[in-house]
């Protein structure tokens, strides 16, 4: 069923994000997935009539990914996964939580922030695996309650710009690690494309400058092959992160001019 946006997200993530910890421990790269941008690259196998649907797909994908990442974190912490696998699982969960909070109502956004603060100290402490497993499982159950809210999201020009501004202004994900920065960049591109295709201000100096900043923001994540991607990950040091974050902040200022 691809009509319900959360069911679509669940169906996609079941294959594209879920992976057994033993495979990761054995050397399989962690799976990465962003629903809106990946859907945009696929030949559509669903009907799409709403021109404002892409931000909704992005938000649903982040919500489902946050829940799945927290579930994986709980499973990995409860099992025999090595410390690196558990830390990578936490970083993935934190990245999705940091992004989805911008699409949630104030109460649930506060819950996402509280989850990050709760899990951060125990996720990085190998002696607290049991507590981490329990807390992550509880957080995953809480994240699953966001389904109805995601399904009922409505967008137009002003609401897209508002979400665009929030994501671009909050550079936590970009500074966190390569994967989280890539997720933020893909979300920003989806919001930009939605705004442009809506017919809102098709061409202006601000729009042109926005595109320039988006290119600067996303350039560290452009990779055509797995080897290219591994090289980009290795090169994602402090100076590259800060440069991408600065481009995102400049972009946020430009978005604000359109609001």
């Amino acid at each position: 069923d691809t009509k319900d946006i959360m069911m679509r997200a669940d169906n996609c993530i079941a294959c594209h994000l879920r992976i057994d910890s033993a495979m990761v421990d054995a050397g399989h790269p962690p799976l990465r997935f962003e629903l809106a941008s990946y859907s945009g690259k696929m030949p559509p196998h669903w009907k799409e009539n709403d021109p404002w649907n892409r931000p909704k797909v992005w938000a649903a994908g982040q919500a489902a990914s946050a829940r799945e990442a927290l579930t994986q974190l709980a499973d990995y912490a409860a099992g025999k996964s090595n410390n690196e696998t558990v830390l990578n699982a936490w970083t993935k969960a934190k990245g999705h939580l940091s992004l989805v909070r911008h699409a949630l109502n104030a109460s649930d956004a506060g819950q996402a922030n509280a989850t990050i603060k709760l899990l951060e100290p125990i996720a990085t402490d190998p002696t607290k695996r049991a507590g981490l497993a329990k807390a992550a499982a509880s957080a995953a159950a809480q994240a699953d309650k966001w389904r109805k809210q995601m399904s009922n999201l409505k967008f137009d020009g002003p609401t897209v710009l508002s979400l665009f501004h929030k994501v671009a202004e909050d550079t936590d994900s970009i500074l966190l690690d390569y994967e989280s920065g890539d997720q933020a960049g893909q979300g920003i591109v989806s919001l930009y494309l939605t705004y442009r295709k809506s017919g809102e201000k098709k061409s202006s100096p601000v729009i042109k400058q926005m595109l320039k900043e988006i290119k600067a923001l996303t350039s560290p994540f452009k990779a055509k092959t797995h080897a290219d991607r591994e090289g980009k990950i290795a090169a994602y040091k402090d100076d590259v992160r800060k440069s991408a974050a600065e481009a995102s902040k400049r972009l946020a200022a430009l978005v604000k001019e359109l609001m």
Side-chain angles (χ1 to χ4, degrees):
D1 186 349
T2 59
K3 293 181 180 179
D4 183 281
I5 194 64
M6 285 306 301
M7 290 187 70
R8 186 195 304 183
D10 288 341
N11 287 335
C12 294
I13 284 167
C15 290
H16 294 292
L17 192 64
R18 193 170 298 161
I19 183 171
D20 187 83
S21 62
M23 292 181 66
V24 179
D25 286 344
H28 192 290
L31 298 183
R32 303 175 176 92
F33 185 68
E34 198 282 290
L35 183 61
S37 61
Y38 281 46
S39 297
K41 295 173 184 177
M42 288 288 292
H45 40 288
W46 54 82
K47 291 182 180 180
E48 203 72 271
N49 299 316
D50 183 0
W52 301 102
N53 203 56
R54 191 164 182 163
K56 189 173 179 177
V57 173
W58 176 80
Q62 290 300 324
S65 294
R67 185 203 65 234
E68 180 60 30
L70 287 164
T71 300
Q72 284 189 353
L73 176 61
D75 291 345
Y76 293 2
K80 297 181 180 180
S81 298
N82 63 47
N83 290 336
E84 182 179 1
T85 297
V86 173
L87 283 173
N88 286 340
W90 162 236
T91 301
K92 181 192 293 288
K94 183 178 179 180
H96 288 299
L97 285 168
S98 295
L99 288 169
V100 73
R101 61 185 175 178
H102 298 304
L104 295 170
N105 61 38
S107 176
D108 288 330
Q111 180 63 46
N113 287 329
T115 296
I116 293 173
K117 291 180 180 178
L118 172 67
L119 295 181
E120 183 81 71
I122 56 177
T124 54
D125 187 343
T127 68
K128 296 182 178 179
R129 288 285 188 88
L132 174 61
K134 183 177 179 179
S138 176
Q142 180 65 38
D144 195 52
K145 295 178 181 178
W146 300 336
R147 300 178 65 86
K148 184 176 181 180
Q149 186 181 161
M150 294 296 104
S151 295
N152 291 333
L153 283 177
K154 303 293 184 183
F155 285 97
D156 55 18
T159 53
V160 166
L161 280 180
S162 176
L163 181 58
F164 193 170
H165 182 259
K166 289 177 183 177
V167 175
E169 187 177 48
D170 183 358
T171 57
D172 286 355
S173 296
I174 294 172
L175 295 171
L176 181 59
D177 75 337
Y178 179 91
E179 182 180 345
S180 298
D182 191 17
Q183 287 281 334
Q186 290 183 69
I188 283 170
V189 169
S190 289
L191 293 166
Y192 171 79
L193 291 175
T194 301
Y195 186 73
R196 289 298 310 275
K197 289 180 179 179
S198 71
E200 302 277 354
K201 297 189 178 181
K202 283 286 187 181
S203 182
S204 72
V206 173
I207 291 290
K208 291 179 181 178
Q209 186 62 32
M210 285 170 65
L211 184 58
K212 181 179 178 181
E213 299 299 352
I214 288 173
K215 288 180 178 179
L217 164 61
T218 58
S219 63
F221 312 108
K222 298 290 185 182
K224 294 183 178 180
T225 66
H226 177 70
D228 287 344
R229 189 178 185 89
E230 291 302 309
K232 293 277 189 176
I233 292 173
Y236 200 62
K237 307 298 184 183
D238 284 350
D239 56 338
V240 179
R241 296 181 197 208
K242 290 177 181 178
S243 179
E246 288 168 0
S248 191
K249 286 184 177 180
R250 292 194 298 269
L251 178 61
L254 292 167
V255 175
K256 195 170 184 64
E257 290 186 32
L258 299 177
M259 293 173 68

